[in-house]
Amino acid sequence: MNRKSTESKLNKISRRDLLVIAGAVLLIAIIYLLASYFTNSIGFPLDDSWIHQTYARNLALRGEWAFRPGLPSAGSTSPLWSALLAIGFFVGLSPYIWTYFLGLLSLFALAVLCEWAVRKLVNSYTPRFPWVGIFIAFEWHLVWAGMSGMETLLHGLIVTTVLILLMTNTPRYMTLGLLTGLSVWVRPDGLTLIGPVLMTILFNEHDTKSRVTSFTKYMIGFGSIFVFYLLFNLAIGGTPMPNTFYAKQAEYIDWQALPIMDRLGQMFLQLLVGPSLVLLPGVIGWLVKSIRQKMWGSLAAMIWCIGYFGLYISRLPLYQHGRYIMPAMPIFFLFGLLAFAEFDKGKMFARYQWVVQTVWRASVAMLVLGFIFLGARSYANDVAVIESEMVATAKWVAGNLPSDVLIAAHDIGALGYFDSHELIDLAGLISPDVIPVMRDEGQLASYLDQRGADYLIAFPEFYPILTEGAEIIFTTNSAITLTFGQKNMVVYRWKTP
């Protein structure tokens, strides 16, 4: 009795542990922001971040769900994230301070959640120092996501919470349903969580009555939130899903034609760059244990993780450090951390156990420390490109083009925030009628003529036919972009090729 009480006390996360994890999150944030500031400026590493900021500002200041004032649109992938960002405009801390705060709060919560999960699932894990939480706080993909201004890490937090609850055999199916419904408000792919929950109900519940009861509770929780999501999109955009759901499918059709092995190779390259490489044997080890011991919650979480990776490599490219698969990274890392936490107290290698432990610990420590700075540099470079290309172009357009012109552009985030011209969105987020022709430059040219576009803003390589021979009005001449072997963004006077 006393022994169990002592172990339970040791496994609890103390206030000191929380302060250590919070300190780690704050430290890594300072490093990333300083790297960004001294490379170019403070900002966001994605143009899409400015789309959320634009929706949030219009919601806060005008009470409208619109990218352009007076024109409601379903161009935000994450209504909940945009709504949370709107608070920052109410309190005067946007676009940067409040956005970073939300991202870092998500990173802190994720680190604490993973630390708790390992303590819950591995009884021998009673550390004096919360190294699992520290690993999550310093993992560069997750830090990048937390500092990106996007909903990615919040989605990862909700997803990881649901899967960890399944792994710990929670009976709270109503709660799982509510979390699944909430996840869809962050990203539509939250719907995929239905699969692992139903699998766990099927195998963990021992009779038909309990399965039906559990399923009913789950669907009540899920449906009570999801139905409002459907109604929201139907009211704003006329479709059950946001415009981005359909636009991305059409935009990256060329990616979908690549050989599957090429796409798998790119996925593993993005996923395993960093300390996660050392965790791969642990992921395999936890899978073996889950199968042998019929740990249905863990197996359901693993199947979901594999399916999520597969879903995205089949539909969307893995650029920008694999940002589309980042929500599944925390649970993937957790599988490896669980196995190694268990291994660290084991005797698998008998008298040589200490040698393997030392090598593993040193490998993890060196990679974590190394990628603190490599990740910060990568983040800073990404911010520099967005600031010197999209943001610089948007500010030039705002100050130099007549107010009554119509502009066609593929990257509309910074344009939406810093400029007020009427836009044709070539990515289809706020111009859904573009989606059927968005990858056919001939039809796109006819569409621009029909709409009466005055200017085209794009990277030349993205629309080689549209931009060929077009008159150049402005180019950023950003040395940062040229250093990476890419071309600068250009403002063209539109004319039929």
Side-chain angles (χ1 to χ4, degrees):
M1 182 76 174
N2 290 335
R3 183 181 176 183
K4 285 185 178 180
S5 176
T6 302
E7 287 181 355
S8 176
K9 192 172 182 180
L10 287 171
N11 274 1
K12 286 185 178 179
I13 299 178
S14 67
R15 183 179 298 179
R16 173 183 169 275
D17 294 328
L18 293 175
L19 289 174
V20 169
I21 295 173
V25 169
L26 183 61
L27 174 63
I28 198 71
I30 291 172
I31 292 172
Y32 271 55
L33 289 175
L34 286 175
S36 179
Y37 177 79
F38 285 110
T39 299
N40 182 270
S41 64
I42 298 295
F44 300 119
L46 296 166
D47 184 65
D48 288 357
S49 306
W50 291 108
I51 295 178
H52 286 303
Q53 295 293 337
T54 304
Y55 274 99
R57 183 177 62 185
N58 287 334
L59 178 62
L61 303 183
R62 304 175 66 92
E64 297 180 344
W65 192 262
F67 187 78
R68 278 288 182 251
L71 299 172
S73 61
S76 172
T77 308
S78 179
L80 178 58
W81 181 248
S82 295
L84 290 173
L85 291 178
I87 298 172
F89 289 95
F90 280 119
V91 298
L93 295 177
S94 286
Y96 299 115
I97 296 175
W98 179 254
T99 306
Y100 292 142
F101 170 75
L102 290 178
L104 294 172
L105 183 62
S106 297
L107 181 61
F108 170 74
L110 189 59
V112 172
L113 176 66
C114 290
E115 178 71 26
W116 174 84
V118 177
R119 291 173 187 241
K120 179 76 172 178
L121 293 166
V122 181
N123 290 330
S124 60
Y125 178 70
T126 55
R128 295 182 179 179
F129 189 75
W131 62 263
V132 167
I134 299 301
F135 180 95
I136 296 296
F138 281 172
E139 206 291 319
W140 77 276
H141 293 93
L142 305 182
V143 181
W144 189 95
M147 302 289 287
S148 70
M150 296 293 287
E151 78 282 358
T152 309
L153 205 61
L154 176 60
H155 186 50
L157 172 62
I158 298 174
V159 164
T160 306
T161 301
V162 170
L163 297 176
I164 285 176
L165 288 175
L166 293 178
M167 293 168 70
T168 54
N169 298 317
T170 181
R172 298 175 179 175
Y173 291 109
M174 181 79 77
T175 300
L176 290 172
L178 292 169
L179 287 171
T180 303
L182 187 67
S183 73
V184 180
W185 279 91
V186 181
R187 285 195 66 87
D189 51 47
L191 286 170
T192 59
L193 289 171
I194 295 174
V197 175
L198 294 187
M199 175 181 167
T200 306
I201 290 173
L202 179 64
F203 287 101
N204 273 358
E205 301 302 321
H206 301 297
D207 56 69
T208 301
K209 182 180 179 181
S210 60
R211 287 170 184 157
V212 171
T213 301
S214 300
F215 174 73
T216 302
K217 290 179 179 179
Y218 175 72
M219 291 309 296
I220 289 173
F222 169 69
S224 64
I225 294 183
F226 181 62
V227 68
F228 292 105
Y229 175 79
L230 294 177
L231 293 174
F232 173 82
N233 285 313
L234 286 169
I236 298 295
T239 57
M241 292 292 175
N243 293 340
T244 50
F245 181 83
Y246 306 100
K248 295 295 184 183
Q249 307 293 320
E251 182 175 3
Y252 296 117
I253 194 168
D254 292 341
W255 163 266
Q256 297 163 20
L258 289 177
I260 187 63
M261 294 308 297
D262 289 355
R263 286 179 274 164
L264 280 171
Q266 291 189 42
M267 182 194 76
F268 281 112
L269 180 64
Q270 299 287 0
L271 182 62
L272 299 178
V273 171
S276 54
L277 179 63
V278 184
L279 297 181
L280 186 57
V283 174
I284 297 171
W286 193 256
L287 173 61
V288 172
K289 176 181 177 176
S290 298
I291 293 172
R292 286 178 176 174
Q293 299 185 13
K294 297 181 180 180
M295 299 162 59
W296 301 118
S298 286
L299 286 172
M302 285 187 158
I303 291 171
W304 176 88
C305 189
I306 294 169
Y308 193 89
F309 288 151
L311 175 66
Y312 271 98
I313 66 169
S314 69
R315 309 306 297 174
L316 299 176
L318 296 172
Y319 63 108
Q320 294 166 327
H321 318 300
R323 72 179 178 104
Y324 290 123
I325 63 171
M326 283 181 183
M329 288 185 182
I331 196 67
F332 178 82
F333 300 149
L334 181 61
F335 297 142
L337 292 168
L338 283 164
F340 278 117
E342 199 168 63
F343 164 82
D344 209 38
K345 296 291 185 179
K347 300 293 181 181
M348 181 183 296
F349 294 95
R351 60 179 178 173
Y352 299 107
Q353 181 80 5
W354 71 273
V355 177
V356 180
Q357 284 176 327
T358 302
V359 171
W360 169 69
R361 290 172 180 173
S363 299
V364 171
M366 286 189 295
L367 284 170
V368 167
L369 289 174
F371 273 89
I372 286 176
F373 301 102
L374 291 174
R377 185 177 69 178
S378 181
Y379 172 83
N381 289 337
D382 293 336
V383 171
V385 169
I386 298 301
E387 287 291 311
S388 64
E389 295 292 351
M390 284 74 162
V391 172
T393 299
K395 290 180 177 179
W396 183 88
V397 168
N400 292 275
L401 294 186
S403 60
D404 60 346
V405 299
L406 177 60
I407 298 172
H410 180 272
D411 300 290
I412 64 166
L415 280 168
Y417 191 84
F418 295 101
D419 178 51
S420 59
H421 286 93
E422 184 181 356
L423 292 173
I424 298 174
D425 176 17
L426 298 181
L429 305 185
I430 64 168
S431 304
D433 50 331
V434 172
I435 295 175
V437 301
M438 65 193 310
R439 297 312 299 151
D440 186 323
E441 291 190 62
Q443 293 189 55
L444 203 54
S446 299
Y447 174 84
L448 296 184
D449 287 338
Q450 181 183 354
R451 288 288 307 273
D454 296 296
Y455 294 91
L456 169 66
I457 301 177
F459 289 105
E461 65 271 23
F462 204 84
Y463 294 111
I465 297 175
L466 290 181
T467 59
E468 185 179 9
E471 180 186 354
I472 296 175
I473 303 299
F474 169 80
T475 184
T476 61
N477 292 316
S478 169
I480 295 170
T481 308
L482 297 175
T483 299
F484 298 132
Q486 301 171 6
K487 295 181 180 180
N488 295 129
M489 180 168 273
V490 180
V491 179
Y492 299 94
R493 191 184 305 278
W494 171 246
K495 66 176 182 178
T496 305

